[in-house]
Each structure stands twice: as structure tokens, then as C-alpha cells.
Amino acid sequence: MEARLEKIPRAETLRYLAWHGAALTAELEADLDRCEALILKNARPRLVWRLFALTDGGRFAGTDYTPAGRDIKDFLAGCTQAVLFAATLGMETESLIRRTQLRSMADAVLLDAVGSAAIEAVCDAFCADLSKELAPRHLTGRFSPGYGDYPLEEQRAVFRLLDVSRRIGVSLTESGLMIPQKSVTALIGVSDTPRENRQSGCGDCLGRFACAYRKEGKSCGKA
Amino acid sequence: MEKPDILILDGAMGTMLQAAGLETGELPETWCITHPERVAAIHRHYVEAGSRVLYTNTFGANRRKTAGCGYAPTELIRAAVRCAREADAGRDVKVALDIGPIGQLLEPLGDLAFEDAYDIFREMVTAGEEAGADLVVFETMSDLAELRAAVLAAKENTCLPVWASMTFEKTGRSFLGVTVPAMALTLTGLGVDALGFNCSLGPQELLPLVRELREWTDLPILLKPNAGLPDPATGEYKIAPADFAEALAKALPFGVFAVGGCCGTTPDFIRCLCARLHAPGPAPQRRARRHGICCAVREAELDAVRIVGERINPTGKKRFQQALREGDLDYIVRQGIEQQDAGAEILDVNVGLPGVDEAAMMRNVVKALQAAVDLPLQLDSSDPKAIEAGLRVYHGKAIVNSVNGRREVLDAVLPLCKKYGAAVVGLCMDENGIPPSAEGRVEIARRILRAAESYGIPREDVIIDCLTLTVSAQQEQAAETLKAVRTVKAELGLSTTLGVSNISFGLPARETISACFLSQALAVGLDLPILNPNQRAMMDAVAAHRALAGQDPDCEAYIRRFSDLLPAPATVAPMQDMTLREAVLRGLGRETAALTEKALREMDELSVIDTLLIPALDEVGERYERQELFLPQLIKAANAACEGFELIKSRIAARGGQSVSRGRILLATVRGDIHDIGKNIVKVVLENYGYTVLDLGRDVPPERIVETAIRENIQLVGLSALMTTTVPSMAETIAALRESGHACKVMVGGAVLTPEYAKEIGADYYAKDAKQSADIAKRVLG
């Protein structure tokens, strides 16, 4: 399975921009077109993944790794296997967004949002492919370090297990953040029987305390 | 077994360790201490298979990766060298200290300083030399900045031979965008003993890269490909040992002196290499080695005219001088960006100004420029300290501008060029001044060339400046300069450069005469014109020359340049009816500047700011609050206003007056956080509202924030943190500010913050967005 990025859903981009539904001006639409084209041109989507059997204790078989936290146990309940993956848009996009900040902050804000939508699209495409590949088994949604009580510090373990830096060129900062920033790591549970779809909800979200949508009693639609 | 004439390296260590029981995720280097017999056994298998160089099991034995494993890098390295030595068994086997990437990205994209990376490598290489390694090999590198730090650490702290090996993708670039020519130019310049590729690709996929590398270097090449590409689901490699050897054999004629294997290869692969590989046949014909200069992701080959942008230079530019004095790197960097957009291919960087620490400024500007512009740099200074400060942190092969015929200058600067692998500009002058005749100048050029060669600098890295004199003052000198260029080019075969616009000082219609002189100089062999790429006539002259000299196949670039020419917009037509307020509201920068200029005819600068620009910005802010405008539109409007402010700043600077500012604000993204786009948005908005922002960047430690706040007597500090994990360091920063006793207000912002939380950690203000930060600034500073 190769990383795929064909189209960047505009609605997603607008969500990252905290758009509240006012009419889009023609000029803004044109800016969005241009920024989407720039991200598509600069993105070098890459992907690394592995399928692990889960032991009874929740350990990844063949490794010394057991994901920490109560939430991840709930999330993987009933799963016999888990897919761990990391995806990135690549350093070219990181560079593009950083450099654009010096030329035009307005463009940089748009590119940043388009980039976020793009890496989500890469993850969605991967999940769709994976679902076919592993059929008739069933997949859960994605769960990333930082969701719920699954600590961000687990990123280091994920990086070791997948050899992420060497395989797709993503690095961790000293505090455990990923560069390029448009990168994602996540776990997906695999089970033999269909189960309640445990997509991660608002309760698991990092931004739940400050979320503009939640303050208005809405959700961003991802949960 | 017949002994092959090519040096056989070993195969994978990781693959073998896993087969011996290493679990995924376990730190392989610790096995040198916990299971030394198993590590030694792997080495022995490779020696028996025919390896004559063993890479130690120290790929990740750096202090970052091994933190918390219970062993220091020096212990692991000592044990690892011992394991490899034990496998020798009387054969003449060399032990290579193997060093991979640190695993943390260097500035500017990452958070590891060049100097810290250097220190991490220094610890490893000195430990390796003490432990008795025969050489050091850096491999699997994808960042030229990191590899430079590594090579410098090895060359400055040990006597070991240095091999440098990088990892590329099929696209011909590394993960960080490094090109093969940039790798070759930089590493050859640094004086490594061998260079090559490993990992990532199989032998077949590597072949085109080896071919390309060979075009750019004469150094021996080493190859350690993977056993093909891994199966994503299982992580297993597919290619058979015999096919691996077969594919590698094809690469041998391209200067390859050593081969082995990376991920997925085993002693069987090495055995096949020994059986299959013999001395390569006669090397295929190749044209002369290609040469040039580069930054990490782009090269400027010196086989054709290359435009050197001259704008990063304070001479005669008040606004630029002000930026240097205020440490306003953004302004300087923007000069670089503008020149790249205008077609510059190399940037000259001159930051010398009395009262400014030139070495520190050169280092900072080089760092900032390479974060923003992907063009090779020409470091322009007469101060060897400033030259070295710039060369040290420059991630590529630079040009040093300049030396001249004076012995003490040559002896001070040429060793630096040699050490860092830079090309050098030699000015045709000496202690007696500029010789009036072409012959005199050529004589100095010869002297400079001899000196450079005596220091081991190859002649293709010597660039001669025959010096442009002002034609209005010394009319006969224009012809002498051209004559000297012709001779240096034809007889010495050296590249040439000229600061072109000097020719026209004191004359009207300067661009006309400068462009004409440029054409004449290009015709006699000028390679690197130093000019202002924003001047159309000059750029047109270069385009025309390229077409005439056959450097522009089918005149394609020339045709494109002029067919794209739309009639220039009649200087902003709808402007008659537009007010400054409207221009700002619609985010129209050029119009805002023009209307500001118009307003300045009737009002003084401060009135324009207070009665026109600021109220317009306030209206933008209100509409943003009402959600009628969107963040990008807010920023665009702020940017437009900035064009007005910038114009006012230039006018005041030109008068030598104090810069206008509504007050100074310190901004920083706190330690541990690298997500700084939010902080940068706030910065742009605050600046556009007329405040001066001291931007400390991202991942900033509390001490630095406190120290700067005190030193600069800052009244308002803005802190940003995006992640829950970094909010504690925001709290820590606020506590440190309070503890210091420095009275200032603190505003905080970031995705995970709330007003309540802001209060809890001791902030004075919570800023929901950039607009609010401007409101807070107004309240605190006025």
C-alpha cells in the first residue's frame, strides 16, 4: 500500500480555519484553489505501517511494547491485532509553509489548514485501503498518542517500533513533537467480528477544552 | 575463494541482531554490553563471508538515543569496538566506527542547534578513536547540515579517515531535499576520504544516483544498498543475494571502491559479492568533473552565467543599516526572498557595519537566510572571523568574497576556504592598490591562484574579480577591466565576477550604462555578475546574453521572459476613488502604500498612522470579531497596512530619525513547543498595528525570555504554546518572570489554553486570537 493523496476536501480545510459559514468571497476561493494546488504539488506523502498481533495483556507480540493508558485498552477491546502506522506529507510541505510565513502570512495560514486537511486525507485513504486489504476482518477508527490518556510520550516508542525516521523521514523534537508537522501516527484495532465503531470522540480530543465548536454546542464533525 | 580487487564491507547489523533475538524496539547498541558474544559472532560471520571492513554496532550510540538505557555512549562504543576487534582473527580487517543520524532534526526545521549536534558527534568520534577504531563512517544521513556537523567533529577532534554516506529516495533527493550534486560538492569540499550511499534503496535503484555522483566528484565511492525494498506488512526484504551482487556489479565502473549491504543483507550477500565482484573494467568516458557551489537543496553549476544578487548589503542603505542595528533579521531575509523571486541564483551577504558584531550577525543572518531561501550564498566580508562564523553554519558550499593579492589576507582567509570547502573570490588589487593596466591585474590574479593552489584549493574554486571602476571618474578603466576579464578567462581558465553597477556612479540613467557594460563584460567572459536583480534592464541583458551564447537552448527562457510580458497595469487604475481605509480593508498592499504616500504630502507621519492606518486596522478587527472576516483576510488587511508602515519607516530612516513604534513586545513560543505559526500570526498582526516585536522564535527556554525581558526593559511579554504537554513550560516561564522581579504584563495564547487556565498559570491576559493580542497591546502600551 502506497500513501495516496488525490484530493483535499475543502470542507476539512475550512474547518481547520474555524470558518463559521459566512459566504466565501471569490478572492478567497481563488486563494484556496491556489493553496490546494501548491500543497498537492509539494506533498510527498509517505507511509509506514505494521500489523501486530496483540497478546492477552495487550502487548504487541514480538516486541516489548504495551500501549499505556486506560483509554487505549477500551479502544482495542475485542481486537486481536492492531495496525500501527505513521504518515507524513514530507519535508517539502514543511519548508513551503515555513517559508511562506515570511512572504505572506495570509497564504501561510491557508497552506497550514490545507496541509492539515491533506494529511488527514492521506490517513483516510490508507484506512480505506487497509480495510480492503484486511477484509473480512474489521477495523476501528484511529487513535493517536495524545488522545485521551494515551500519552504523547508514547510517540518515542511508536517511532522505534516502526523505524519512522529512517523509513519516512519524520523526526521527533526533544519534547516529542513531529517534524514535518503535517505527520500523523496512530493505532487501528483489527477484530474478527464487527463491533461498535469506536471512533475517537470529543472526550478523547486534545483540543476539547478550548474547542470553538464545543463552546457552541457543536462538534467538528470528526467525532 | 579468489580475492576480489574491490573492498568488501559487511552487511546489515540490525537484521542479524533481530535474527539473534533482538526485539523490535529494543536498543541494539546495548547488546555490545549485554550480549557481546552474539554481536562478535555476527561480525565473525561477516569476516568469514569475506568482509574486510566491519561497521561497529554503534549506529545509534549517541547521547540522545541512548538516554535512559543505563550506558553512556563512550561505554557502548568501547564495547562495540571490542566486539568487532575480536572477530578479526588475524585477518587484516579494519574496524569502522559506525555513526547514524542523531534522530533529532537540526535547525532551522528542527530544534537541535548545529553546535549541539557537533558536540554529540564529537563525543562519539573521540570515544571511537580512543577505543581503537580505524576509521569513522557516517551513514544513513539525509540532512546535509547534520552530516557537516558530523564530518567537522571527526576532522577537528580525531585523526581518523572519514567516510560519509547518505540515504536518498528514487527521486534523487534525500528526505530533506538534498540533491546529489549538493552532497558531492559539500562533502568533497570538506575533504572526506570517501562518500557514497546506503540504505533506503536497492542496488538497482541506486545505479542512476551513483552515475550522477560520479559526475560531481573524484573521490572514491562506497555503496551499501538495502536488499531491495521492504514488504510493508512484514518488513521483509525480497532480493536474492546473487541478484544483489549482479546489480551492484553494474555500479562498479563509476568510481566505486567499496561495497557492502544495508538493511536485509546477510553474510550470504557478502559471500555473493566476493564471488561476483572483480576489478571493474575500464571506466566509461566522462566529461570533465562538474563543479559549482550549492546550498543543501540546490546547486549553481559554474558552467554558465549565474546572477549574484547584491542587495544584502548596508552600503548606502539607511533602512538596511537600521535593520542591522536593531537585529531585524526578517527585513534582511526579505531582501533575500525578493531577490530569489526576481531571478537571483546566488546571494551575496554583506552585514558589516561599524558598531555591529559582524561575526555574530553573519552567523545569524546565514542561519536565517538558509531557513527562508534555497539559494547558495556568497559570504562577503573582509573580516576572517565573520567569514568563518558564516562558513561554519552554512549547510553547503559557499563562495567567500573576498581575498586580494596581499599576502596576509591570503594567509588569513584561504585556509578557511580550504577547511570548509568554499570557493573564493580574488580581487585584482594588493597593498599598492588597483593596477591601472589589465596586465597588472592579471598578474595579481595569477598570484592569487598560486596561493590558493598552495593551500590545496582547486583552480575551479578560484573566481577572479577584475574590479569595475566608475566610468565617469576613470573613463579608460572600463576597457582595461574588460581586457582583464578576457585574459583571466582565456589564459588562466578561471571563473570571473564583477560588481557591475559600480560602473555608473555619478551618471544619469544609470541602468542604461550599467546594462550595456554588463553585456560587454558577459561577452568577454564574465560568469558571475553581481547586480540588483530587481533592475529590469540588467536582467534583460543577462537573458539576451544567455540566448546569444547558446546557454538558453532554443532561446526558450528568453521567449518566455518576454512573451509573458503583459502590459503593465496602468499604475493602479481604480485608485482615484479608493480611500486608504478601503485599501487596507481589502488587503491591497500596493494601493495602501501609494495612498499612504499621497497622504504624507499633507500630513506628518504620526498623523497618518494615528488617524488613517490604525483606525482602518481597528475596523478590520471589529469585522473579524463579528465573523464577517476570516483569519486570512484579517492578515491580508494587516499586511496591507504594513506596506504603509514600511513606507513611513523608510522615510524616517532616510532622515536619520528615530523609528516610530507604539511600543515593544517580546514574543516567544515556549520551550518544548515548535508549533509557532500562531505566534507568527500574532507577530505579523502586532507589527502591522505599529508595535515593535522582539521575536525569540520557538522552543525558547524560560531563562532566555526573562533575560531578554530585563535587558530590553520589556513591558509586555506574549507567550504561545500549542500542546498540552508544553503548557507547563509556559507556567514555568511566567513563574520565572515573576520571580525575577521584572515588572511586566504577560499575555498567553494557544490552542489548548482557556481564560481560566491562563489565570491559573499566572498570566495577566488571555488572547483568544491575534486580534485580541492587539487589543491587549493597546491596553498595556497604548
Side-chain angles (χ1 to χ4, degrees), chain B residues 111-182:
Chain B
D111 61 338
L112 184 64
F114 175 85
E115 295 77 8
D116 293 335
Y118 175 90
D119 199 55
I120 288 169
F121 289 122
R122 186 194 50 74
E123 179 181 30
M124 297 175 79
V125 293
T126 49
E129 184 170 50
E130 274 167 32
D134 299 305
L135 64 114
V136 53
V137 56
F138 299 108
E139 60 165 353
T140 326
M141 294 286 180
S142 57
D143 184 0
L144 206 45
E146 182 173 11
L147 185 48
R148 276 188 80 256
V151 171
L152 283 171
K155 291 188 81 82
E156 290 178 353
N157 297 286
T158 75
C159 304
L160 299 177
V162 177
W163 296 358
S165 175
M166 294 191 73
T167 294
F168 278 68
E169 295 193 288
K170 262 190 259 185
T171 55
R173 287 179 180 258
S174 78
F175 284 138
L176 272 101
V178 177
T179 63
V180 172

Side-chain angles (χ1 to χ4, degrees), chain A residues 149-202:
Chain A
D149 69 352
Y150 185 31
L152 199 59
E153 289 71 31
E154 297 274 302
Q155 206 72 278
R156 295 208 185 277
V158 172
F159 267 59
R160 268 207 301 277
L161 288 170
L162 293 176
D163 203 2
V164 172
S165 299
R166 178 151 28 176
R167 297 286 298 279
I168 62 169
V170 180
S171 305
L172 286 181
T173 66
E174 207 168 348
S175 53
L177 308 180
M178 288 186 282
I179 310 176
Q181 293 177 40
K182 302 306 173 198
S183 303
V184 165
T185 62
L187 263 172
I188 300 167
V190 183
S191 64
D192 293 327
T193 49
R195 52 197 288 278
E196 173 199 358
N197 194 358
R198 303 184 65 96
Q199 198 83 14
S200 50
C202 292

